[in-house]
Amino acid sequence: MKLTCENINVTLDDKEIVKSLTLHAADNAFVGIVGPNGCGKSTFLKTVYRVLKPKAGTVFLDDANALKMSYRQSAQKLAVVAQHNHQDFDFTVGEVVMMGRAPHKRALERDHAEDFRIVNDALDRVQMGTFKERLFASLSGGEQQRVILARALAQKTQCLILDEPTNHLDIKYQLQMLELVKSMKMTVVAAIHDLNLAMMYCDYVYIMDAGRIVGHGKPEDALTEAMIEKVYGVRVKHMTDPESGCRMLAFLPSNKTHII
Amino acid sequence: MMTTKQDKLAEGTVHLKESTAEENVKMKKMRLRIGYGLTVLLLIVGIVISVGLAVAIGSTTIHAKDVYRVIWYECFHPSALADYASGAIHDVIWLIRLPRIMLAVAVGGGLAICGIVMQALVRNPLADPYLLGISSGASLGATVAILLGVGTFFGENYVGIVAFIGAFSASILVLTIANTGSRANPVKLLLSGLAVNAVFSSFSSFIVYVANDKDGIQDITFWLMGSLGGAKWSNVIWIYIVVFAGMFFFMTQYRTLNMMLLGDEVGITLGISLHAPRQYYMIITSLMIGFIVFASGMIGFVGLMMPHFARMLFGTDHKKNMPIAFCFGAIFMIWADVLSRIVIPYTELPIGIFVSMFGSPFFIYMLVRRQYGFGGGKS
């Protein structure tokens, strides 16, 4: 499923947070959004998943205007793993993931065997299959985040929004989660904090600064040393691991902070 | 040598950890799986037995067997039980005691359901059904009716009717205030509830002060303490219709109620906007509570405690915990009523006093120990 955002403008408390933002995500592409804290990534993603209403602009899922759909319809096409999920309720992991089936349910519809199969499958895919009966609140931050990913998978959507999904995770699970998401046939739009992870997993990146897109392209083309220095204000060097051929960024201490 | 020892030690710890984790899972499983259906069935049987016993207990003791026979006769009119069609025993059971006990079932169960819904609505485990202005609205209604004689044309139970009007209009006012300016959210609902409570209680106090009517004040006090004494079949039927209609409605809404605990944003990503349901759930609960107040005055703590007991057994999933809470509420209320009738011979304690006596210590326990959260022992 293609996801297209055209000329999105978002204003919060009379302050323009997102300015005329246009973004395309091709079918099954992994598109990353990078940018410094407060540049408007989350605000933009929230308009895509409809928690915020844009002042102007539209979001298309294939050719349908997502902002005109019912929430139920858009939740059948678009799943979300958001930034913070600390919740202190007493749901079990299985119950949390089962909520991912809600967009496919009518008020009086029961949970069928098929729903339980989908839930189990989603939990297995994030390697949380044995945690089904545990209480969500008793899990670590990283485990909770994986359960939320399982819930998103249980929604069986073709499009997935990740809003800094790897925030609480160990590096192992960061890689695992992004690998898993990438291996699935889904269109993914992800706000990613770690530029190296963006380099590794994104098919395409958009660089955001102060509410605007300031650059986009394939990660190795878009995330240039000059661009990163301009947007983040840090010195950085492109390197290639001679053995694996992996591209990576090395951050350098700035000249000014010379320790005496 | 050293390495092997350490290895063994490490192995041991790993083993230990694994087994506790397993046990943990097992315990959680037990909590959830010990036959849910069986539990509901047992609780329903519990209600039926409690009703029989509660009717039998009283100033004249009646055989529980007779109780069921009279009920059976009144329901199906079999000729074999024609002996039970009239007489003193029949009248005591069918006209005096049973309506009261049946009212206890509906009031207890209804309060528990409203408590669960209200706690989900404001995402606060310490919420109770009277929270959003309803209690002070009802008291103001009762005060106005008793001291100023407003609404006497409603007939015999005019105090209850005016209290109902007070309760319902208070919650509508809360909803309106919470929606003014920006959309209502749990915090705004709570704060508007507090504000409306303050306004309404000050009006009650004002009227009490100005009227300076000692008998009237005593009447109000008694009325506010709650009683099931006024039960008559003609009232009870209506309470049943409202409480059961409300309960079945909320049973169909369990997915939305679950999502209310996760918040508005998650709700939208899972396909449900919670704004509209929050409004009409509140109107429906205040209708239910209004009817309950009309029939029995103010009975506190049942609506707060029963949801917590239900959650302790079967967790937060509203599909499971609403029927359990209803049954708990019903059984609790039946026995609270029995105790309030027999603790002091020939005197009836207001049931509200009784319930609060048990309720407040539990509330404090919950507050200071572990249940501040939706039962998830962590927070």
Side-chain angles (χ1 to χ4, degrees), chain A residues 71-72 75 89-90 92 95 99 102 105-109 111 133 137 155, chain B residues 28 32-33 252 255 259 262 266 269-271 273 316-317 374-375 378:
Chain A
Y71 289 122
R72 201 177 119 88
F89 46 72
D90 205 1
T92 64
E95 285 163 353
M99 287 183 202
K105 293 285 170 193
R106 295 278 172 203
L108 287 168
E109 207 179 328
D111 299 327
E133 310 291 347
Q155 271 176 267
Chain B
K28 298 279 154 55
L32 286 162
R33 287 284 162 79
T252 67
R255 284 199 185 90
M259 256 166 234
L262 310 196
V266 177
T269 66
L270 294 176
S273 167
T316 315
D317 186 359
F374 277 86
K378 240 177 99 181

PDB file of all heavy atoms in Angstrom, chain A residues 71-72 75 89-90 92 95 99 102 105-109 111 133 137 155, chain B residues 28 32-33 252 255 259 262 266 269-271 273 316-317 374-375 378:
ATOM      1  N   TYR A  71     -12.567   6.046  11.729  1.00  0.00           N
ATOM      2  CA  TYR A  71     -11.378   5.571  12.443  1.00  0.00           C
ATOM      3  C   TYR A  71     -11.231   4.062  12.282  1.00  0.00           C
ATOM      4  O   TYR A  71     -10.135   3.529  12.219  1.00  0.00           O
ATOM      5  CB  TYR A  71     -11.473   5.938  13.916  1.00  0.00           C
ATOM      6  CG  TYR A  71     -11.306   7.416  14.178  1.00  0.00           C
ATOM      7  CD1 TYR A  71     -12.291   8.142  14.826  1.00  0.00           C
ATOM      8  CD2 TYR A  71     -10.149   8.073  13.770  1.00  0.00           C
ATOM      9  CE1 TYR A  71     -12.132   9.500  15.067  1.00  0.00           C
ATOM     10  CE2 TYR A  71      -9.982   9.420  14.004  1.00  0.00           C
ATOM     11  CZ  TYR A  71     -10.979  10.134  14.647  1.00  0.00           C
ATOM     12  OH  TYR A  71     -10.823  11.469  14.881  1.00  0.00           O
ATOM     13  N   ARG A  72     -12.375   3.397  12.235  1.00  0.00           N
ATOM     14  CA  ARG A  72     -12.360   1.954  12.074  1.00  0.00           C
ATOM     15  C   ARG A  72     -11.695   1.564  10.753  1.00  0.00           C
ATOM     16  O   ARG A  72     -10.830   0.693  10.707  1.00  0.00           O
ATOM     17  CB  ARG A  72     -13.818   1.482  12.084  1.00  0.00           C
ATOM     18  CG  ARG A  72     -14.027   0.051  12.416  1.00  0.00           C
ATOM     19  CD  ARG A  72     -15.534  -0.188  12.452  1.00  0.00           C
ATOM     20  NE  ARG A  72     -15.861  -1.174  11.453  1.00  0.00           N
ATOM     21  CZ  ARG A  72     -15.841  -2.476  11.716  1.00  0.00           C
ATOM     22  NH1 ARG A  72     -15.521  -2.900  12.895  1.00  0.00           N
ATOM     23  NH2 ARG A  72     -16.158  -3.348  10.783  1.00  0.00           N
ATOM     24  N   ALA A  75      -7.996   2.272  10.816  1.00  0.00           N
ATOM     25  CA  ALA A  75      -7.273   1.334  11.682  1.00  0.00           C
ATOM     26  C   ALA A  75      -7.155  -0.043  11.038  1.00  0.00           C
ATOM     27  O   ALA A  75      -6.355  -0.860  11.471  1.00  0.00           O
ATOM     28  CB  ALA A  75      -7.962   1.220  13.035  1.00  0.00           C
ATOM     29  N   PHE A  89      -2.169  -0.576  33.884  1.00  0.00           N
ATOM     30  CA  PHE A  89      -3.408  -1.320  34.074  1.00  0.00           C
ATOM     31  C   PHE A  89      -3.058  -2.792  34.149  1.00  0.00           C
ATOM     32  O   PHE A  89      -1.931  -3.190  33.929  1.00  0.00           O
ATOM     33  CB  PHE A  89      -4.365  -1.058  32.933  1.00  0.00           C
ATOM     34  CG  PHE A  89      -3.692  -1.132  31.606  1.00  0.00           C
ATOM     35  CD1 PHE A  89      -3.291  -2.351  31.085  1.00  0.00           C
ATOM     36  CD2 PHE A  89      -3.425   0.025  30.887  1.00  0.00           C
ATOM     37  CE1 PHE A  89      -2.641  -2.425  29.890  1.00  0.00           C
ATOM     38  CE2 PHE A  89      -2.771  -0.049  29.684  1.00  0.00           C
ATOM     39  CZ  PHE A  89      -2.379  -1.276  29.174  1.00  0.00           C
ATOM     40  N   ASP A  90      -4.069  -3.571  34.423  1.00  0.00           N
ATOM     41  CA  ASP A  90      -3.843  -4.957  34.749  1.00  0.00           C
ATOM     42  C   ASP A  90      -4.250  -5.884  33.608  1.00  0.00           C
ATOM     43  O   ASP A  90      -4.776  -6.952  33.837  1.00  0.00           O
ATOM     44  CB  ASP A  90      -4.664  -5.271  36.018  1.00  0.00           C
ATOM     45  CG  ASP A  90      -4.073  -6.425  36.781  1.00  0.00           C
ATOM     46  OD1 ASP A  90      -3.051  -6.944  36.328  1.00  0.00           O
ATOM     47  OD2 ASP A  90      -4.641  -6.811  37.810  1.00  0.00           O
ATOM     48  N   THR A  92      -3.552  -8.559  30.627  1.00  0.00           N
ATOM     49  CA  THR A  92      -2.501  -9.511  30.296  1.00  0.00           C
ATOM     50  C   THR A  92      -1.988  -9.188  28.893  1.00  0.00           C
ATOM     51  O   THR A  92      -2.639  -8.491  28.123  1.00  0.00           O
ATOM     52  CB  THR A  92      -3.020 -10.954  30.292  1.00  0.00           C
ATOM     53  OG1 THR A  92      -3.990 -11.080  29.255  1.00  0.00           O
ATOM     54  CG2 THR A  92      -3.640 -11.330  31.619  1.00  0.00           C
ATOM     55  N   GLU A  95      -4.403 -10.131  26.251  1.00  0.00           N
ATOM     56  CA  GLU A  95      -5.540  -9.200  26.116  1.00  0.00           C
ATOM     57  C   GLU A  95      -5.127  -7.948  25.357  1.00  0.00           C
ATOM     58  O   GLU A  95      -5.893  -7.420  24.541  1.00  0.00           O
ATOM     59  CB  GLU A  95      -6.076  -8.830  27.502  1.00  0.00           C
ATOM     60  CG  GLU A  95      -6.886  -9.934  28.161  1.00  0.00           C
ATOM     61  CD  GLU A  95      -7.080  -9.747  29.658  1.00  0.00           C
ATOM     62  OE1 GLU A  95      -6.476  -8.816  30.247  1.00  0.00           O
ATOM     63  OE2 GLU A  95      -7.815 -10.550  30.247  1.00  0.00           O
ATOM     64  N   MET A  99      -6.529  -6.646  21.513  1.00  0.00           N
ATOM     65  CA  MET A  99      -7.144  -5.359  21.171  1.00  0.00           C
ATOM     66  C   MET A  99      -6.802  -4.942  19.746  1.00  0.00           C
ATOM     67  O   MET A  99      -7.514  -4.153  19.141  1.00  0.00           O
ATOM     68  CB  MET A  99      -6.676  -4.285  22.139  1.00  0.00           C
ATOM     69  CG  MET A  99      -7.302  -4.446  23.497  1.00  0.00           C
ATOM     70  SD  MET A  99      -6.785  -3.109  24.570  1.00  0.00           S
ATOM     71  CE  MET A  99      -7.066  -3.856  26.153  1.00  0.00           C
ATOM     72  N   ALA A 102      -9.570  -5.326  17.370  1.00  0.00           N
ATOM     73  CA  ALA A 102     -10.773  -4.497  17.545  1.00  0.00           C
ATOM     74  C   ALA A 102     -11.255  -3.831  16.256  1.00  0.00           C
ATOM     75  O   ALA A 102     -12.457  -3.802  16.000  1.00  0.00           O
ATOM     76  CB  ALA A 102     -10.537  -3.461  18.639  1.00  0.00           C
ATOM     77  N   LYS A 105     -13.753  -5.795  14.309  1.00  0.00           N
ATOM     78  CA  LYS A 105     -14.863  -6.372  15.060  1.00  0.00           C
ATOM     79  C   LYS A 105     -16.066  -5.443  15.100  1.00  0.00           C
ATOM     80  O   LYS A 105     -15.923  -4.241  15.250  1.00  0.00           O
ATOM     81  CB  LYS A 105     -14.428  -6.634  16.510  1.00  0.00           C
ATOM     82  CG  LYS A 105     -13.382  -7.707  16.635  1.00  0.00           C
ATOM     83  CD  LYS A 105     -14.009  -9.037  16.430  1.00  0.00           C
ATOM     84  CE  LYS A 105     -12.954 -10.118  16.311  1.00  0.00           C
ATOM     85  NZ  LYS A 105     -13.520 -11.352  15.816  1.00  0.00           N
ATOM     86  N   ARG A 106     -17.233  -6.053  15.009  1.00  0.00           N
ATOM     87  CA  ARG A 106     -18.469  -5.328  15.297  1.00  0.00           C
ATOM     88  C   ARG A 106     -18.750  -5.438  16.790  1.00  0.00           C
ATOM     89  O   ARG A 106     -18.210  -6.334  17.462  1.00  0.00           O
ATOM     90  CB  ARG A 106     -19.635  -5.946  14.502  1.00  0.00           C
ATOM     91  CG  ARG A 106     -19.474  -5.788  13.010  1.00  0.00           C
ATOM     92  CD  ARG A 106     -19.945  -4.412  12.605  1.00  0.00           C
ATOM     93  NE  ARG A 106     -19.633  -4.156  11.198  1.00  0.00           N
ATOM     94  CZ  ARG A 106     -19.510  -2.937  10.691  1.00  0.00           C
ATOM     95  NH1 ARG A 106     -19.641  -1.873  11.472  1.00  0.00           N
ATOM     96  NH2 ARG A 106     -19.257  -2.760   9.427  1.00  0.00           N
ATOM     97  N   ALA A 107     -19.640  -4.574  17.281  1.00  0.00           N
ATOM     98  CA  ALA A 107     -19.858  -4.479  18.724  1.00  0.00           C
ATOM     99  C   ALA A 107     -20.123  -5.828  19.393  1.00  0.00           C
ATOM    100  O   ALA A 107     -19.575  -6.121  20.439  1.00  0.00           O
ATOM    101  CB  ALA A 107     -21.004  -3.527  19.015  1.00  0.00           C
ATOM    102  N   LEU A 108     -20.958  -6.656  18.782  1.00  0.00           N
ATOM    103  CA  LEU A 108     -21.349  -7.880  19.467  1.00  0.00           C
ATOM    104  C   LEU A 108     -20.568  -9.097  19.009  1.00  0.00           C
ATOM    105  O   LEU A 108     -20.845 -10.211  19.426  1.00  0.00           O
ATOM    106  CB  LEU A 108     -22.844  -8.134  19.248  1.00  0.00           C
ATOM    107  CG  LEU A 108     -23.747  -7.181  20.031  1.00  0.00           C
ATOM    108  CD1 LEU A 108     -25.177  -7.279  19.576  1.00  0.00           C
ATOM    109  CD2 LEU A 108     -23.656  -7.475  21.517  1.00  0.00           C
ATOM    110  N   GLU A 109     -19.575  -8.860  18.138  1.00  0.00           N
ATOM    111  CA  GLU A 109     -18.855  -9.993  17.589  1.00  0.00           C
ATOM    112  C   GLU A 109     -17.920 -10.600  18.624  1.00  0.00           C
ATOM    113  O   GLU A 109     -17.254  -9.885  19.354  1.00  0.00           O
ATOM    114  CB  GLU A 109     -18.064  -9.526  16.369  1.00  0.00           C
ATOM    115  CG  GLU A 109     -17.810 -10.617  15.379  1.00  0.00           C
ATOM    116  CD  GLU A 109     -17.051 -10.082  14.176  1.00  0.00           C
ATOM    117  OE1 GLU A 109     -17.246  -8.903  13.817  1.00  0.00           O
ATOM    118  OE2 GLU A 109     -16.267 -10.855  13.619  1.00  0.00           O
ATOM    119  N   ASP A 111     -14.605 -13.047  19.828  1.00  0.00           N
ATOM    120  CA  ASP A 111     -13.269 -13.340  19.318  1.00  0.00           C
ATOM    121  C   ASP A 111     -13.267 -14.784  18.831  1.00  0.00           C
ATOM    122  O   ASP A 111     -13.589 -15.698  19.581  1.00  0.00           O
ATOM    123  CB  ASP A 111     -12.230 -13.169  20.427  1.00  0.00           C
ATOM    124  CG  ASP A 111     -12.221 -11.746  20.957  1.00  0.00           C
ATOM    125  OD1 ASP A 111     -12.479 -10.830  20.157  1.00  0.00           O
ATOM    126  OD2 ASP A 111     -11.970 -11.551  22.157  1.00  0.00           O
ATOM    127  N   GLU A 133       0.257 -14.934  29.074  1.00  0.00           N
ATOM    128  CA  GLU A 133      -0.584 -14.812  30.267  1.00  0.00           C
ATOM    129  C   GLU A 133      -0.002 -13.839  31.288  1.00  0.00           C
ATOM    130  O   GLU A 133      -0.598 -13.611  32.332  1.00  0.00           O
ATOM    131  CB  GLU A 133      -0.749 -16.182  30.941  1.00  0.00           C
ATOM    132  CG  GLU A 133      -1.159 -17.301  30.012  1.00  0.00           C
ATOM    133  CD  GLU A 133      -2.579 -17.132  29.519  1.00  0.00           C
ATOM    134  OE1 GLU A 133      -3.303 -16.293  30.083  1.00  0.00           O
ATOM    135  OE2 GLU A 133      -2.952 -17.833  28.560  1.00  0.00           O
ATOM    136  N   ALA A 137       1.758  -4.875  32.723  1.00  0.00           N
ATOM    137  CA  ALA A 137       2.445  -3.919  33.599  1.00  0.00           C
ATOM    138  C   ALA A 137       3.695  -4.509  34.230  1.00  0.00           C
ATOM    139  O   ALA A 137       4.571  -3.784  34.671  1.00  0.00           O
ATOM    140  CB  ALA A 137       1.484  -3.442  34.692  1.00  0.00           C
ATOM    141  N   GLN A 155      -3.276  -6.290  13.957  1.00  0.00           N
ATOM    142  CA  GLN A 155      -4.248  -5.489  13.207  1.00  0.00           C
ATOM    143  C   GLN A 155      -4.278  -5.885  11.744  1.00  0.00           C
ATOM    144  O   GLN A 155      -5.197  -5.530  11.013  1.00  0.00           O
ATOM    145  CB  GLN A 155      -3.899  -3.993  13.320  1.00  0.00           C
ATOM    146  CG  GLN A 155      -4.534  -3.314  14.504  1.00  0.00           C
ATOM    147  CD  GLN A 155      -4.092  -1.852  14.630  1.00  0.00           C
ATOM    148  OE1 GLN A 155      -3.129  -1.548  15.326  1.00  0.00           O
ATOM    149  NE2 GLN A 155      -4.779  -0.957  13.940  1.00  0.00           N
TER     150      GLN A 155
ATOM    151  N   LYS B  28      -0.320 -16.546  37.332  1.00  0.00           N
ATOM    152  CA  LYS B  28      -1.148 -15.644  36.536  1.00  0.00           C
ATOM    153  C   LYS B  28      -2.206 -16.450  35.794  1.00  0.00           C
ATOM    154  O   LYS B  28      -3.351 -16.075  35.700  1.00  0.00           O
ATOM    155  CB  LYS B  28      -0.287 -14.873  35.537  1.00  0.00           C
ATOM    156  CG  LYS B  28       0.754 -13.997  36.182  1.00  0.00           C
ATOM    157  CD  LYS B  28       0.158 -12.686  36.661  1.00  0.00           C
ATOM    158  CE  LYS B  28       0.923 -12.066  37.822  1.00  0.00           C
ATOM    159  NZ  LYS B  28       2.331 -11.867  37.585  1.00  0.00           N
ATOM    160  N   LEU B  32      -6.378 -16.369  35.978  1.00  0.00           N
ATOM    161  CA  LEU B  32      -7.250 -16.097  34.848  1.00  0.00           C
ATOM    162  C   LEU B  32      -8.110 -17.285  34.472  1.00  0.00           C
ATOM    163  O   LEU B  32      -9.216 -17.130  34.013  1.00  0.00           O
ATOM    164  CB  LEU B  32      -6.406 -15.695  33.646  1.00  0.00           C
ATOM    165  CG  LEU B  32      -5.848 -14.302  33.759  1.00  0.00           C
ATOM    166  CD1 LEU B  32      -4.700 -14.122  32.792  1.00  0.00           C
ATOM    167  CD2 LEU B  32      -6.940 -13.297  33.452  1.00  0.00           C
ATOM    168  N   ARG B  33      -7.548 -18.464  34.666  1.00  0.00           N
ATOM    169  CA  ARG B  33      -8.185 -19.596  34.022  1.00  0.00           C
ATOM    170  C   ARG B  33      -9.117 -20.407  34.909  1.00  0.00           C
ATOM    171  O   ARG B  33      -9.920 -21.162  34.417  1.00  0.00           O
ATOM    172  CB  ARG B  33      -7.120 -20.514  33.417  1.00  0.00           C
ATOM    173  CG  ARG B  33      -6.479 -19.931  32.176  1.00  0.00           C
ATOM    174  CD  ARG B  33      -7.419 -20.052  30.991  1.00  0.00           C
ATOM    175  NE  ARG B  33      -7.047 -19.171  29.902  1.00  0.00           N
ATOM    176  CZ  ARG B  33      -6.069 -19.429  29.040  1.00  0.00           C
ATOM    177  NH1 ARG B  33      -5.396 -20.533  29.136  1.00  0.00           N
ATOM    178  NH2 ARG B  33      -5.784 -18.575  28.085  1.00  0.00           N
ATOM    179  N   THR B 252     -22.011  -5.153  25.884  1.00  0.00           N
ATOM    180  CA  THR B 252     -21.685  -5.119  24.452  1.00  0.00           C
ATOM    181  C   THR B 252     -20.552  -4.138  24.177  1.00  0.00           C
ATOM    182  O   THR B 252     -19.981  -4.149  23.100  1.00  0.00           O
ATOM    183  CB  THR B 252     -22.895  -4.692  23.599  1.00  0.00           C
ATOM    184  OG1 THR B 252     -23.181  -3.323  23.899  1.00  0.00           O
ATOM    185  CG2 THR B 252     -24.103  -5.533  23.868  1.00  0.00           C
ATOM    186  N   ARG B 255     -15.162  -3.755  24.526  1.00  0.00           N
ATOM    187  CA  ARG B 255     -13.929  -3.375  23.819  1.00  0.00           C
ATOM    188  C   ARG B 255     -13.639  -1.886  23.998  1.00  0.00           C
ATOM    189  O   ARG B 255     -12.509  -1.483  24.237  1.00  0.00           O
ATOM    190  CB  ARG B 255     -14.043  -3.687  22.330  1.00  0.00           C
ATOM    191  CG  ARG B 255     -13.881  -5.150  22.026  1.00  0.00           C
ATOM    192  CD  ARG B 255     -13.540  -5.394  20.570  1.00  0.00           C
ATOM    193  NE  ARG B 255     -13.511  -6.817  20.317  1.00  0.00           N
ATOM    194  CZ  ARG B 255     -14.555  -7.537  19.933  1.00  0.00           C
ATOM    195  NH1 ARG B 255     -15.716  -6.935  19.723  1.00  0.00           N
ATOM    196  NH2 ARG B 255     -14.467  -8.826  19.751  1.00  0.00           N
ATOM    197  N   MET B 259     -10.541   0.027  25.949  1.00  0.00           N
ATOM    198  CA  MET B 259      -9.698   1.027  25.298  1.00  0.00           C
ATOM    199  C   MET B 259      -9.678   2.339  26.063  1.00  0.00           C
ATOM    200  O   MET B 259      -8.712   3.086  25.986  1.00  0.00           O
ATOM    201  CB  MET B 259     -10.172   1.246  23.888  1.00  0.00           C
ATOM    202  CG  MET B 259      -9.233   0.565  22.924  1.00  0.00           C
ATOM    203  SD  MET B 259      -9.952   0.467  21.350  1.00  0.00           S
ATOM    204  CE  MET B 259      -9.800  -1.258  21.070  1.00  0.00           C
ATOM    205  N   LEU B 262      -6.717   2.702  27.956  1.00  0.00           N
ATOM    206  CA  LEU B 262      -5.474   2.959  27.214  1.00  0.00           C
ATOM    207  C   LEU B 262      -5.391   4.402  26.733  1.00  0.00           C
ATOM    208  O   LEU B 262      -4.342   4.846  26.295  1.00  0.00           O
ATOM    209  CB  LEU B 262      -5.352   2.049  25.989  1.00  0.00           C
ATOM    210  CG  LEU B 262      -5.555   0.553  26.147  1.00  0.00           C
ATOM    211  CD1 LEU B 262      -5.023  -0.168  24.931  1.00  0.00           C
ATOM    212  CD2 LEU B 262      -4.876   0.027  27.368  1.00  0.00           C
ATOM    213  N   VAL B 266      -4.532   5.879  21.694  1.00  0.00           N
ATOM    214  CA  VAL B 266      -4.505   4.465  21.345  1.00  0.00           C
ATOM    215  C   VAL B 266      -5.854   4.049  20.758  1.00  0.00           C
ATOM    216  O   VAL B 266      -5.923   3.292  19.793  1.00  0.00           O
ATOM    217  CB  VAL B 266      -4.141   3.610  22.569  1.00  0.00           C
ATOM    218  CG1 VAL B 266      -4.182   2.141  22.226  1.00  0.00           C
ATOM    219  CG2 VAL B 266      -2.764   3.981  23.066  1.00  0.00           C
ATOM    220  N   THR B 269      -5.955   4.850  17.114  1.00  0.00           N
ATOM    221  CA  THR B 269      -5.154   3.958  16.278  1.00  0.00           C
ATOM    222  C   THR B 269      -5.773   2.566  16.204  1.00  0.00           C
ATOM    223  O   THR B 269      -5.470   1.804  15.310  1.00  0.00           O
ATOM    224  CB  THR B 269      -3.699   3.833  16.774  1.00  0.00           C
ATOM    225  OG1 THR B 269      -3.690   3.175  18.037  1.00  0.00           O
ATOM    226  CG2 THR B 269      -3.039   5.182  16.920  1.00  0.00           C
ATOM    227  N   LEU B 270      -6.638   2.237  17.164  1.00  0.00           N
ATOM    228  CA  LEU B 270      -7.316   0.950  17.098  1.00  0.00           C
ATOM    229  C   LEU B 270      -8.758   1.097  16.606  1.00  0.00           C
ATOM    230  O   LEU B 270      -9.575   0.200  16.770  1.00  0.00           O
ATOM    231  CB  LEU B 270      -7.288   0.255  18.460  1.00  0.00           C
ATOM    232  CG  LEU B 270      -5.896  -0.167  18.932  1.00  0.00           C
ATOM    233  CD1 LEU B 270      -5.941  -0.748  20.324  1.00  0.00           C
ATOM    234  CD2 LEU B 270      -5.284  -1.176  17.968  1.00  0.00           C
ATOM    235  N   GLY B 271      -9.048   2.231  16.018  1.00  0.00           N
ATOM    236  CA  GLY B 271     -10.301   2.353  15.284  1.00  0.00           C
ATOM    237  C   GLY B 271     -11.494   2.868  16.057  1.00  0.00           C
ATOM    238  O   GLY B 271     -12.609   2.807  15.568  1.00  0.00           O
ATOM    239  N   SER B 273     -12.994   6.207  18.236  1.00  0.00           N
ATOM    240  CA  SER B 273     -12.873   7.507  18.867  1.00  0.00           C
ATOM    241  C   SER B 273     -13.650   7.437  20.173  1.00  0.00           C
ATOM    242  O   SER B 273     -14.814   7.071  20.196  1.00  0.00           O
ATOM    243  CB  SER B 273     -13.470   8.582  17.968  1.00  0.00           C
ATOM    244  OG  SER B 273     -13.610   9.760  18.716  1.00  0.00           O
ATOM    245  N   THR B 316      -8.516  -6.957  34.212  1.00  0.00           N
ATOM    246  CA  THR B 316      -9.138  -5.703  33.817  1.00  0.00           C
ATOM    247  C   THR B 316     -10.050  -5.823  32.604  1.00  0.00           C
ATOM    248  O   THR B 316     -10.765  -4.905  32.275  1.00  0.00           O
ATOM    249  CB  THR B 316      -8.035  -4.665  33.532  1.00  0.00           C
ATOM    250  OG1 THR B 316      -7.073  -4.740  34.570  1.00  0.00           O
ATOM    251  CG2 THR B 316      -8.575  -3.256  33.514  1.00  0.00           C
ATOM    252  N   ASP B 317      -9.993  -6.957  31.919  1.00  0.00           N
ATOM    253  CA  ASP B 317     -10.820  -7.112  30.722  1.00  0.00           C
ATOM    254  C   ASP B 317     -12.304  -6.997  31.090  1.00  0.00           C
ATOM    255  O   ASP B 317     -12.827  -7.810  31.852  1.00  0.00           O
ATOM    256  CB  ASP B 317     -10.537  -8.482  30.100  1.00  0.00           C
ATOM    257  CG  ASP B 317     -11.249  -8.644  28.769  1.00  0.00           C
ATOM    258  OD1 ASP B 317     -11.956  -7.695  28.362  1.00  0.00           O
ATOM    259  OD2 ASP B 317     -11.086  -9.701  28.142  1.00  0.00           O
ATOM    260  N   PHE B 374      -4.896  -0.051  38.231  1.00  0.00           N
ATOM    261  CA  PHE B 374      -6.042  -0.894  37.978  1.00  0.00           C
ATOM    262  C   PHE B 374      -5.742  -2.312  38.407  1.00  0.00           C
ATOM    263  O   PHE B 374      -5.840  -3.245  37.659  1.00  0.00           O
ATOM    264  CB  PHE B 374      -6.478  -0.804  36.529  1.00  0.00           C
ATOM    265  CG  PHE B 374      -7.336   0.383  36.301  1.00  0.00           C
ATOM    266  CD1 PHE B 374      -6.790   1.619  36.027  1.00  0.00           C
ATOM    267  CD2 PHE B 374      -8.708   0.278  36.404  1.00  0.00           C
ATOM    268  CE1 PHE B 374      -7.597   2.716  35.845  1.00  0.00           C
ATOM    269  CE2 PHE B 374      -9.522   1.373  36.228  1.00  0.00           C
ATOM    270  CZ  PHE B 374      -8.966   2.608  35.953  1.00  0.00           C
ATOM    271  N   GLY B 375      -5.227  -2.448  39.636  1.00  0.00           N
ATOM    272  CA  GLY B 375      -4.984  -3.769  40.162  1.00  0.00           C
ATOM    273  C   GLY B 375      -3.605  -4.292  39.850  1.00  0.00           C
ATOM    274  O   GLY B 375      -3.216  -5.321  40.332  1.00  0.00           O
ATOM    275  N   LYS B 378       2.090  -3.109  40.630  1.00  0.00           N
ATOM    276  CA  LYS B 378       3.396  -2.488  40.489  1.00  0.00           C
ATOM    277  C   LYS B 378       3.468  -1.041  40.973  1.00  0.00           C
ATOM    278  O   LYS B 378       4.407  -0.665  41.650  1.00  0.00           O
ATOM    279  CB  LYS B 378       3.802  -2.517  39.015  1.00  0.00           C
ATOM    280  CG  LYS B 378       5.099  -3.281  38.786  1.00  0.00           C
ATOM    281  CD  LYS B 378       5.437  -3.353  37.318  1.00  0.00           C
ATOM    282  CE  LYS B 378       6.430  -2.353  36.881  1.00  0.00           C
ATOM    283  NZ  LYS B 378       6.731  -2.400  35.463  1.00  0.00           N
TER     284      LYS B 378
END
